Amino acid sequence: MNRAAHAFWLDSPGRGEIREVALPGPGEDEVLVRSLYSGVSRGTETLVFRGHVPESQHAAMRAPFQEGDFPGPVKYGYLNVGVVEEGPRTLVGRTVFCLYPHQTRYVVPASAVTPVPDTVPARRAVLAGTVETAVNALWDAAPLIGDRIAVVGGGMVGSSVAALLARFPGVRVQLVDADPARAKTAEALGVGFALPGDALGGCDLVVHASATEQGLARSLELLSAEGTVIELSWYGDRKVSLPLGEDFHSRRLVIRSSQVGTVSPTRPGRSYADRLALALDLLADPALDALVTGESEFAELPALMPRLASGEIPALCHLVRYGEADAV
């Protein structure tokens, strides 16, 4: 077998290229995976592409199989689905998810891949990393039956959170976004939609994922007394002003961060593997196909990424396809 592969690298902020890489043969307890699909997360990944990872967060923001360093050259990404071609007998031929960058083939420890359930199509499985973030956020948020909830920010993460909340009994869930086009996404996910000025207030819980100062301020406005905002947005190197005057203290409001890098402390004993396996099980729901909003060939990534980063292509998760011609 030809051990060459091709990988997408951020050469410098705003400029990517495809490089040929040499693969080692898989060792004991390792697997060789041929990529079928990967996903571009338009939030974090485009911040990385623009070079907006603050120096203080270079270590914290490293992806599991990242090569190079911020701001570049760096090989970055974490939504990959492929087929195991070599490795332990129990995994050969299995479709698996891995937190790996955009690359045609790769070798990783067998423990780094998670088999995709038969009920989940491979192209939908690229969402596993994002749904895992949503699972962790809801573990942190701990919504209760009958809660009035808003999700502010209808991007990839916010829409994933809204989709999972739609399954909770007796809750009022509304997806809030400044883009009217997100109404179609909300409808597909089975949740209500509102523009920021029309959103329902009196919320017990607001999950904020818009990555904007205005979205966070609106999230606080939507809360009832003693309500909580779960902050999922990551702002990179941007400074954010927060309205903590007026009635913030008298209403006893709470802002709590949530980040997928740590398993929620509300679930002691659960591992990263447990959380990811749960996310993949949840992806059996075909409604989540609404989060995949475009697709391209792997070879198109250098031209595609600047358009995703600029917003020229409005995307939630953009799917990258790997044909046999790419899997050199």
Side-chain angles (χ1 to χ4, degrees):
M1 178 182 291
N2 190 340
R3 293 292 183 187
H6 290 83
F8 176 74
W9 278 73
L10 172 62
D11 184 54
S12 59
R15 181 182 181 275
E17 64 179 8
I18 291 176
R19 300 182 181 181
E20 184 170 310
V21 295
L23 292 183
E28 187 177 359
D29 296 325
E30 290 187 324
V31 291
L32 170 65
V33 179
R34 173 173 57 86
S35 296
L36 297 174
Y37 301 100
S38 59
V40 179
S41 171
R42 190 168 173 266
T44 302
E45 202 163 341
T46 58
L47 275 171
V48 170
F49 185 79
R50 296 195 301 269
H52 289 174
V53 180
E55 187 173 351
S56 65
Q57 295 301 301
H58 282 190
M61 285 302 300
R62 289 192 67 86
F65 295 100
Q66 174 180 324
E67 294 182 37
D69 296 298
F70 304 118
V74 62
K75 184 176 75 174
Y76 191 84
Y78 46 83
L79 303 174
N80 188 291
V81 174
V83 174
V84 176
E85 293 190 321
E86 297 181 39
R89 184 180 304 175
T90 55
L91 287 173
V92 172
R94 293 294 303 272
T95 300
V96 295
F97 176 85
C98 185
L99 295 166
Y100 203 87
H102 310 284
Q103 185 165 312
T104 55
R105 278 191 172 95
Y106 53 91
V107 174
V108 293
S111 59
V113 301
T114 302
V116 175
D118 293 338
T119 54
V120 180
R123 57 185 290 121
R124 191 188 306 152
V126 299
L127 298 167
T130 306
V131 173
E132 183 184 8
T133 300
V135 167
N136 206 59
L138 292 181
W139 282 351
D140 282 334
L144 299 174
I145 187 169
D147 272 358
R148 298 155 297 182
I149 305 172
V151 180
V152 176
M156 196 173 168
V157 172
S159 293
S160 297
V161 171
L164 299 189
L165 283 169
R167 306 169 181 222
F168 279 65
V171 300
R172 184 192 80 189
V173 184
Q174 193 170 54
L175 184 63
V176 180
D177 197 279
D179 183 358
R182 290 286 185 257
K184 291 184 178 179
T185 303
E187 182 180 6
L189 298 176
V191 298
F193 175 81
L195 296 171
D198 300 326
L200 297 172
C203 293
D204 305 290
L205 172 68
V206 176
V207 179
H208 179 238
S210 80
T212 67
E213 189 175 291
Q214 297 87 347
L216 181 53
R218 185 60 177 143
S219 296
L220 290 170
E221 292 172 351
L222 295 176
L223 287 176
S224 62
E226 302 195 1
T228 297
V229 169
I230 298 294
E231 176 60 282
L232 284 180
S233 297
W234 187 62
Y235 300 90
D237 55 5
R238 286 180 292 144
K239 303 294 184 183
V240 177
S241 296
L242 193 60
L244 300 182
E246 299 183 358
D247 60 356
F248 176 81
H249 290 281
S250 63
R251 295 172 64 209
R252 298 176 59 84
L253 304 182
V254 175
I255 302 172
R256 190 162 75 248
S257 65
S258 179
Q259 209 277 336
V260 73
T262 302
V263 176
S264 172
T266 68
R267 295 298 183 273
R270 298 290 185 95
S271 67
Y272 290 99
D274 293 334
R275 191 178 63 188
L276 181 55
L278 173 59
L280 281 163
D281 285 339
L282 292 168
L283 281 165
D285 186 350
L288 290 164
D289 284 333
L291 303 184
V292 178
T293 53
E295 58 183 277
S296 303
E297 298 293 336
F298 169 70
E300 299 176 72
L301 267 176
L304 173 73
M305 284 299 294
R307 301 175 67 199
L308 286 172
S310 69
E312 179 185 344
I313 299 177
L316 294 175
C317 178
H318 193 94
L319 196 72
V320 178
R321 297 188 303 264
Y322 297 77
E324 282 298 329
D326 299 316
V328 179

